[in-house]
Amino acid sequence: MSTSLSVSMASSTIPCCSPPSSYSSPWFRRTTVKTHCSLLARNSIKAPLPPLNPKDPFLSKLASLAANSPENLLNRPVNSDTPPYLDLFDSPTLMATPATVERSVSYNEHRPRRPPPDLPSLLLHGRIVYLGMPLVPAVTELIIAELMYLQWMDPKEPIYLYINSTGTTRDDGESVGMETEGFAIYDAMMQLKNEIHTVGVGAAIGHACLLLAAGSKGKRFMMPHAKAMIQQPRIPSSGLMTGSDVLIRAKEVIINKDTLVGLLSKHTENSVETVTQVMRRPFYMDSTKAKEFGVIDKILWRGQEKIMADAAPPEAWDKNAGIKSLDAM
């Protein structure tokens, strides 16, 4: 290689790589000439053409530049502020924006065209709002926002509210949220122009039972094995509060109780005295009792109404079996 380039090993005349006098040994001159020759040979050979995808404009541009002028790729600045090769385009677009991605009917994991949608978004697209947690501020904020959004999308189409919540308490009865969380969702439901179809699945306890009963008349449903329960509001943990503060908190709980009793009486069409009487202790209702009490209008089960209508009441079963109740004895 040194012979073809006419470079002498004894006296190297490379202006940019001339060694200092302290490094004038034959070994250093030989190494410097070999390095310079390899650089010249690299620049004289055209860069190989990478695998080309004709539909990719960036790779096409990069491949044509490598074939025509490889020095632009080999002699690039080291400390450039621009990422490698992105300055080949004035306005590079490597990926399509989410708005321009082609919409597909189904998501294929082998050929993904866009990220898979999350389940709450799919339910919201079907005008379904699912309340599946206790009523804490974050849940209340989300439910109200979804209700307002669905009314903005179409104020005439119904909204389907599925309820499986323990209200402002946990399943063990401990308070986790203020009573105003349930009242906030209730007020939002009353302000909407849409019909709201409520469906009880699992459990509807406390304020969740109020939301179930607050649906549009004739559009309140319940699954056959769901439970509903109404109870008095509970005072949160007093902690280190003074006696005066505890008294103020107790008065507020009594006010919330009276409000809850009035709203339940309105939507179940029972008297205030009746609701107050059953709320002295936790009052559990299965789907049949909830329908009788006025919390719901219909039980959702294929053929359930006909089966329940044909079934004899418990008193008739006892009479046919010859069993006397304790009240009759």
Side-chain angles (χ1 to χ4, degrees), residues 78-318:
V78 179
N79 296 324
S80 175
D81 296 333
T82 306
Y85 308 120
L86 289 188
D87 56 346
L88 300 179
F89 280 142
D90 295 333
S91 300
T93 55
L94 298 182
M95 295 179 61
T97 59
T100 61
V101 176
E102 180 183 357
R103 293 182 177 269
S104 59
V105 178
S106 61
Y107 178 77
N108 188 346
E109 61 180 357
H110 302 291
R111 297 184 60 186
R113 298 182 180 180
R114 60 173 178 169
D118 56 296
L119 186 57
S121 298
L122 290 177
L123 294 177
L124 194 63
H125 182 70
R127 304 187 66 81
I128 297 175
V129 178
Y130 179 63
L131 173 58
M133 296 182 65
L135 298 180
V136 295
V139 176
T140 303
E141 177 185 1
L142 178 62
I143 297 298
I144 294 178
E146 290 181 344
L147 293 175
M148 295 171 61
Y149 172 76
L150 291 176
Q151 178 188 237
W152 175 79
M153 287 294 294
D154 192 341
K156 297 181 180 180
E157 287 294 322
I159 299 174
Y160 304 92
L161 177 60
Y162 284 73
I163 301 173
N164 181 20
S165 173
T166 56
T168 56
T169 61
R170 296 191 311 192
D171 52 356
D172 59 356
E174 182 180 353
S175 297
V176 294
M178 299 181 63
E179 305 297 327
T180 51
E181 305 296 338
F183 292 142
I185 299 178
Y186 172 83
D187 291 338
M189 294 172 59
M190 295 298 102
Q191 294 297 322
L192 296 181
K193 302 176 183 179
N194 310 71
E195 274 192 351
I196 300 181
H197 300 192
T198 55
V199 182
V201 292
I205 297 177
H207 276 267
C209 184
L210 171 64
L211 301 180
L212 176 62
S216 300
K217 193 65 177 177
K219 305 297 182 180
R220 304 172 302 175
F221 309 98
M222 199 170 180
M223 294 297 180
H225 299 104
K227 295 288 184 180
M229 189 264 279
I230 54 178
Q231 62 181 353
Q232 298 186 39
R234 298 176 181 272
I235 184 171
S237 177
S238 58
L240 300 177
M241 289 193 303
T242 62
S244 301
D245 294 340
V246 173
L247 180 60
I248 294 173
R249 187 68 64 86
K251 291 181 179 179
E252 181 64 22
V253 171
I254 294 175
I255 294 175
N256 291 335
K257 173 197 171 184
D258 295 339
T259 304
L260 182 60
V261 168
L263 295 177
L264 285 172
S265 173
K266 170 186 174 182
H267 291 286
T268 61
E269 298 181 354
N270 290 302
S271 64
V272 175
E273 292 76 14
T274 301
V275 178
T276 303
Q277 178 68 24
V278 299
M279 279 184 59
R280 290 184 176 180
R281 302 298 298 171
F283 181 64
Y284 286 89
M285 297 172 283
D286 57 10
S287 57
T288 305
K289 287 185 178 180
K291 183 178 179 181
E292 294 174 355
F293 194 76
V295 176
I296 62 172
D297 303 305
K298 186 178 180 181
I299 303 173
L300 287 181
W301 195 3
R302 294 177 180 176
Q304 171 70 10
E305 285 75 14
K306 186 177 184 305
I307 295 175
M308 296 301 295
D310 295 341
E315 294 78 7
W317 283 94
D318 295 342

